[in-house]
Amino acid sequence: MMKTIVVDQAKSFAYAEAPIPAAGGKWVTLKVKHCAICGSDRSFWLYYGGQGFTPGHEFAGYIEDGGEYGFPKGMKVVAAEFNSCGECEYCKKGEEQRCAQMMVDNPGVSAPGAYGPYVRVRGDYVIPMPEDMPTKLGAIVEPVAVSLHGVKFLGIQPGEDVLVSGNGPIGIYAAAAAKLLGAGKVIMTGRSQSRVDFCNTFDFVDICLSVKDPEYDEKIKALTPAGGFKHIIDCVGVDDYDGLLGLAASGATVVMLGMHAPKPCFNAMSLYLKEATLKTGLYFSWADFKQAFEMVRDNQEMFLSTITSVIPAEPEAIQQAFVKLFDSGTNDECKIVIEHKD
Ligand SMILES: [Zn+2]
Ligand SMILES: [Zn+2]
C-alpha cells in the first residue's frame, strides 16, 4: 500500500491509502519525483463528486517496476500519460490524440495520477532522461507537447511573426515552441499585469502586452505586420475573438488551443473575408511528445525559468497552490511543480 493524495471533496486534498499500481502487460510502475500542476487539474478539484481521485498527468520520475519491458529499477524517465490503442486508423497515422481508447485508464485523467507517489504508465510511452536533465523539467514536457502540437498547425516559416494570445503556461510554452521552430517576432498578450511583466523577462518573447492597458489597441496595431499576422495562436487569451481575428492577415492560420468558458463567439465573416483557417489543437501525438522532450532537454535554462515554485507533495501545500493558481485572482505563479520525497 502507499500513502497517496486525493481530492476527497470539492476544493480539498487529503491523504488516502491506495495499492501501489502493479506493472504487467503493457504497464510499468514509476516512482514519481516531480509532477506539475495543470489548469485542467482544477476541474477535479472544483467539480469533485465521487470517490477520492488522484490527479497529475505531467510527471517524471524513476522506474519502480519495469514489468515486461525490463527497464531497470531506478532509471530516470519521463512518460506520456497515453493509453492509445496502437491499432486504429488514427494511431496508425500518428494521431494518437484522436484515438477512442486514449482517455481510458489514462493516468491523472481517468486513472490515479502522479500527485500520488507511484503511477502506472504504458511502457511504450516512456523516454529515458539524461543524467544532466532535472526531473522537474521532465514534468513539463507534457504541457510543452500540448503547446507544440498547436504551434505546428500554424506552419510557421522561418522569420515569420506570431501572435500568442494568452500568457498562461500553455501560451508561454507556445511562444517558446514558436521561437524554437524559427519564428521571427513572438508577440504575446495577456490579462494580468504581473504575468505580463513575467513574460517580458523571457528571451523567447519579443514583447508581451496587457489587453487591459488603456493604450492596448494602439500598441498592438503598431506591432502588427503590414496586412496582419499570418499566424495567431489563442491560448485562452481573449474573450473577443472578433478583435483577435481582426489582427489576422488574409490567408492567416488561427489556432485555438485551450478551452474558453462558457463559450467564445465570433463572426464567421471575419474568417470568410480573409480566407483564414481556424484550427483547434487538443492534446498531442506521441511524435509531438518526443519532439517536446528534445526541445526541453536541449533548452533547459529556457524552460527552467517557467517553473516558479516547487512544493512538497503534501495535501496542505497542494491546496495552497491551487488556491493561489485558481482561486485568488492575484496569481503571480507560472508553473508549480509538486516534489515527492526520494
Ligand atoms: Zn496538463
Ligand atoms: Zn487508436
Side-chain angles (χ1 to χ4, degrees):
M1 296 294 278
M2 62 176 176
K3 188 163 85 166
T4 190
I5 294 172
V6 296
V7 177
D8 63 331
Q9 52 184 300
K11 290 193 173 182
S12 167
F13 287 99
Y15 284 120
E17 289 283 313
I20 295 176
K26 58 193 179 180
W27 301 98
V28 302
T29 305
L30 300 193
K31 182 167 167 41
V32 183
K33 183 60 189 173
H34 285 108
C35 177
I37 296 176
C38 173
S40 64
D41 295 339
R42 180 174 181 252
S43 56
F44 297 113
W45 185 61
L46 287 184
Y47 306 120
Y48 170 80
Q51 301 300 310
F53 182 73
T54 304
H57 58 274
E58 304 179 356
F59 51 81
Y62 302 93
I63 293 288
E64 176 67 15
D65 185 345
E68 291 178 12
Y69 292 84
F71 300 136
K73 183 169 173 169
M75 183 169 83
K76 184 160 80 166
V77 297
V78 54
E81 73 276 33
F82 272 18
N83 188 27
S84 41
C85 79
E87 282 162 16
C88 71
E89 163 195 3
Y90 296 121
C91 284
K92 283 184 181 152
K93 276 198 291 187
E95 295 172 348
E96 294 87 355
Q97 75 275 13
R98 297 180 182 164
C99 173
Q101 189 191 287
M102 180 57 100
M103 292 301 160
V104 179
D105 281 337
N106 183 300
V109 177
S110 54
Y115 286 22
Y118 295 93
V119 69
R120 195 180 76 153
V121 300
R122 286 268 297 266
D124 46 349
Y125 293 126
V126 162
I127 303 177
M129 287 176 68
E131 270 318 304
D132 71 346
M133 182 174 175
T135 42
K136 64 180 176 183
L137 278 180
I140 62 165
V141 169
E142 203 266 4
V144 173
V146 169
S147 297
L148 174 65
H149 177 69
V151 167
K152 282 162 81 175
F153 280 138
L154 291 172
I156 301 166
Q157 296 299 309
E160 289 180 335
D161 295 350
V162 178
L163 175 63
V164 180
S165 152
N167 64 349
I170 291 298
I172 289 169
Y173 295 142
K179 205 58 151 181
L180 291 170
L181 292 180
K185 286 203 190 78
V186 174
I187 314 292
M188 213 175 186
T189 64
R191 290 192 184 89
S192 104
Q193 190 59 50
S194 61
R195 186 70 73 73
V196 166
D197 295 341
F198 180 61
C199 289
N200 278 315
T201 67
F202 294 130
D203 290 342
F204 54 88
V205 173
D206 287 82
I207 187 165
C208 183
L209 297 177
S210 166
V211 295
K212 291 182 178 164
D213 181 339
E215 291 162 33
Y216 169 77
D217 285 341
E218 295 94 88
K219 287 183 179 172
I220 192 71
K221 269 190 200 108
L223 291 164
T224 302
F229 285 97
K230 285 185 180 170
H231 309 287
I232 297 178
I233 185 157
D234 173 52
C235 307
V236 198
V238 290
D239 300 318
D240 173 22
Y241 245 78
D242 287 320
L244 191 63
L245 294 171
L247 301 170
S250 189
T253 303
V254 180
V255 172
M256 182 179 177
L257 188 65
M259 257 184 268
H260 281 260
K263 54 179 176 184
C265 292
F266 66 92
N267 181 347
M269 288 300 282
S270 314
L271 283 179
Y272 173 76
L273 292 172
K274 290 181 169 172
E275 286 196 318
T277 303
L278 179 65
K279 289 191 166 234
T280 64
L282 179 66
Y283 222 27
F284 51 86
S285 68
W286 176 231
D288 295 328
F289 190 89
K290 288 187 288 187
Q291 190 178 352
F293 167 75
E294 287 167 11
M295 273 187 167
V296 176
R297 180 195 64 195
D298 298 342
N299 299 278
Q300 296 192 17
E301 288 306 318
M302 178 191 241
F303 287 99
L304 277 172
S305 66
T306 68
I307 298 174
T308 47
S309 291
V310 176
I311 61 168
E314 293 163 5
E316 314 81 67
I318 299 173
Q319 174 69 14
Q320 277 175 24
F322 268 62
V323 168
K324 206 174 190 186
L325 286 174
F326 306 129
D327 228 5
S328 67
T330 55
N331 166 29
D332 56 0
E333 293 280 357
C334 181
K335 211 62 178 161
I336 298 181
V337 173
I338 296 166
E339 182 173 83
H340 291 269
K341 291 202 184 102
D342 283 327

